[in-house]
Amino acid sequence: MEKRTFFLAIAVILAVCTHAKVRLPHLIGDNMVLQQNTEARLWGWAKPGKTVSVTVSWNAKTYTARASKDGKWLVKVDTPPASYTPLSITFDDGEPLTIQGVLSGEVWVCAGQSNMEMPVRGFGNCPVEGYNDAVLEARDYSAIHYVKVPSVMSMTPLEDANCEWRVTGPQTVGEASATGYFFAQALTKALDVPVGLIMANKGGTRVESWLTRENLEKYTKEPLDTMGIVNGHEWDYHRQLVWGNGTFNPILNYTVKGIIFYQGCSNVGDPGNQYSERLQLLVEQWREQFGLGEIPFYFVEIAPYHYDDVNGEAGALLREQQYIASKKIPNSGLVCTNDLAYPYETTQIHPAQKKPVGRRLAFLALNQTYGIGDVWCKSPSLKNMKIDGSVVHLHLNDDYGSINRFTDIVGFELAGDDHVFHPAKAEHFWQPGGGEWDETIMVSCPEVEHPVAIRYCFRNFQLGNLKNGAGLPLFPFRTDNW
């Protein structure tokens, strides 16, 4: 009996000591990455009225905050330049708590649905190309740390998530977002800095899944009562509001550099400009919630997929909406993926080529965020066109002075007044003279004597092969509004 009483007393003492320690969110822990050269936010909970001291190893400064009546506190600490030297932070409200293995570097959020969530090891029957290579090389990228926020639904915004930072290695790389990891690989190579990835995403989610209650009430007609949300969609991952509350809200205090985003498949079929408007709304919402200004937002065009009809246009219309959004959202960029599905992947919603996706996102970040102008980052797009009899001549934006092929160009279609599109022949055209139209892409089709409209890869699953001098593919487009 005395022995039992002794152990019970020890348990009570331990419980009291544990309760006395300052409590940190799971995002603030061993192996975290701080955004370099800034004021990074650190936060947590303590007994109301308690003063919390935060001491950092890199400058020996101590920052203090007093816990509010609900126990919350937050401090901003000056972070050092990026370094591979491990740092530590001590939190003290009467009993010190120290976290170790902290790095200073670049921190990015990996958001979206399953093609962002898809890990390096792939999903069932959905492999990621280059998995073994990633495992073999993982020790070279131990300065890439990541944290996967669990996918949780909640009717109210959550402030914490059960997660932990992981250091890249052969045993851990397989669980990282493939797109995010290959993005980080390119960044750490080019910038020679640690990279932290916060993976807050959920497969199958719609853009509405991440909007706040306030924005859903103001800009949509989505039901926001519990039963309306539950009964409104056959699949829980399509539900509005709840994924943002449960999976994204816990990260909003974290100081980050920017967001990469891969989403859209679940919004295929949305009417008019609804998707581009709501995506723009989401970006505005996240920027306001993070409170870090107009942070970069780089996102991925949905890949070719059959959507029940390879020749249908629902997927193409969503890609068009993404392109429109990229022109409306400031400090953003869009990655084209028209060439990143294999011909046999018509029914594969998770194409295997994730490394090029991550690298193209990194090209945008390196050029537009980090100022490395020699990294060519933009896919070409239609600049203008001229119809000359039965021939259409095209100029492109962002070709970087060249196109990848002069002949055997596929993916173009022409239509006349009957609105029926036919496969067209396209080739490089040049004639001496120095006029504006002396060098073009020339498109023609025997079945269309008097073309009035042109399309490029404007179908659910249609692979083109025209690229610019950077090897980046031409964005799908149409000149009609049929």
Side-chain angles (χ1 to χ4, degrees), residues 88-392:
S88 64
I89 308 173
T90 298
F91 304 85
D92 193 347
D93 67 344
E95 183 176 356
L97 170 64
T98 300
I99 62 174
Q100 308 279 357
V102 177
L103 296 180
S104 184
E106 293 297 306
V107 182
W108 287 79
V109 176
C110 305
Q113 59 180 110
S114 56
N115 272 299
M116 180 62 81
E117 183 180 27
M118 189 178 189
V120 174
R121 70 170 70 254
F123 293 135
N125 292 318
C126 302
V128 168
E129 198 169 76
Y131 165 69
N132 275 342
D133 289 337
V135 173
L136 295 177
E137 298 168 356
R139 293 191 190 281
D140 296 334
Y141 294 98
S142 60
I144 298 174
H145 295 189
Y146 71 88
V147 57
K148 177 69 173 81
V149 179
S151 301
V152 173
M153 291 184 289
S154 177
M155 286 296 293
T156 57
L158 301 184
E159 296 182 327
D160 195 11
N162 186 16
C163 56
E164 64 178 357
W165 285 88
R166 307 187 78 180
V167 178
T168 294
Q171 288 77 37
T172 59
V173 68
E175 300 305 318
S177 157
T179 295
Y181 177 69
F182 293 124
F183 167 83
Q185 262 194 352
L187 254 58
T188 195
K189 275 185 178 180
L191 302 175
D192 193 20
V193 298
V195 176
L197 299 175
I198 299 175
M199 301 169 185
N201 41 60
K202 169 61 181 175
T205 46
R206 302 165 68 239
V207 70
E208 293 81 5
S209 304
W210 305 100
L211 291 173
T212 61
R213 178 178 293 274
E214 293 73 20
N215 277 333
L216 288 164
E217 286 178 343
K218 187 173 181 180
Y219 297 103
T220 80
K221 296 181 180 180
E222 300 276 355
L224 294 172
D225 60 292
T226 302
M227 292 312 299
I229 291 174
V230 170
N231 294 330
H233 298 286
E234 181 180 0
W235 308 105
D236 62 0
Y237 45 76
H238 282 169
R239 292 174 184 168
Q240 61 274 21
L241 176 69
V242 293
W243 296 106
N245 278 345
T247 305
F248 209 87
N249 204 76
I251 77 171
L252 291 173
N253 272 340
Y254 210 94
T255 304
V256 304
K257 186 68 172 184
I259 301 169
I260 57 174
F261 185 73
Y262 195 161
Q263 187 277 334
C265 300
S266 293
N267 285 95
V268 167
D270 284 3
N273 290 321
Q274 179 173 293
Y275 183 80
S276 61
E277 292 169 355
R278 293 183 180 180
L279 181 59
Q280 183 180 14
L281 175 65
L282 178 61
V283 176
E284 292 170 353
Q285 171 192 298
W286 280 346
R287 286 172 172 168
E288 181 179 358
Q289 289 177 309
F290 274 112
L292 299 169
E294 203 171 80
I295 57 176
F297 179 81
Y298 301 126
F299 61 118
V300 183
E301 182 184 76
I302 60 170
Y305 179 69
H306 74 134
Y307 294 107
D308 296 325
D309 178 4
V310 293
N311 290 316
E313 298 175 1
L317 290 169
L318 195 285
R319 293 182 201 106
E320 183 178 62
Q321 284 293 295
Q322 292 178 309
Y323 184 80
I324 291 170
S326 74
K327 299 305 178 185
K328 294 164 59 177
I329 300 170
N331 199 15
S332 73
L334 179 65
V335 165
C336 180
T337 61
N338 177 255
D339 62 330
L340 295 183
Y342 290 114
Y344 54 81
E345 288 185 311
T346 55
T347 59
Q348 176 57 277
I349 195 68
H350 305 119
Q353 300 178 75
K354 288 294 182 286
K355 187 170 186 176
V357 178
R359 288 174 63 83
R360 289 175 189 180
L361 286 165
F363 296 160
L364 285 168
L366 291 169
N367 180 293
Q368 297 184 187
T369 299
Y370 297 106
I372 305 179
D374 287 338
V375 174
W376 293 345
C377 65
K378 294 183 179 181
S379 272
S381 60
L382 177 65
K383 181 179 181 179
N384 55 26
M385 60 175 274
K386 179 181 76 169
I387 299 175
D388 183 9
S390 61
V391 176
V392 178

Side-chain angles (χ1 to χ4, degrees), residues 368-438:
Q368 297 184 187
T369 299
Y370 297 106
I372 305 179
D374 287 338
V375 174
W376 293 345
C377 65
K378 294 183 179 181
S379 272
S381 60
L382 177 65
K383 181 179 181 179
N384 55 26
M385 60 175 274
K386 179 181 76 169
I387 299 175
D388 183 9
S390 61
V391 176
V392 178
H393 291 271
L394 305 176
H395 287 148
L396 303 180
N397 296 304
D398 303 312
D399 63 7
Y400 297 112
S402 61
I403 57 174
N404 69 318
R405 60 179 61 237
F406 284 174
T407 59
D408 300 321
I409 300 171
V410 299
F412 283 100
E413 296 181 281
L414 291 179
D417 290 329
D418 60 359
H419 294 192
V420 177
F421 281 92
H422 299 269
K425 178 183 179 181
E427 57 188 346
H428 177 263
F429 169 81
W430 178 82
Q431 65 182 12
E436 179 186 0
W437 295 98
D438 287 346

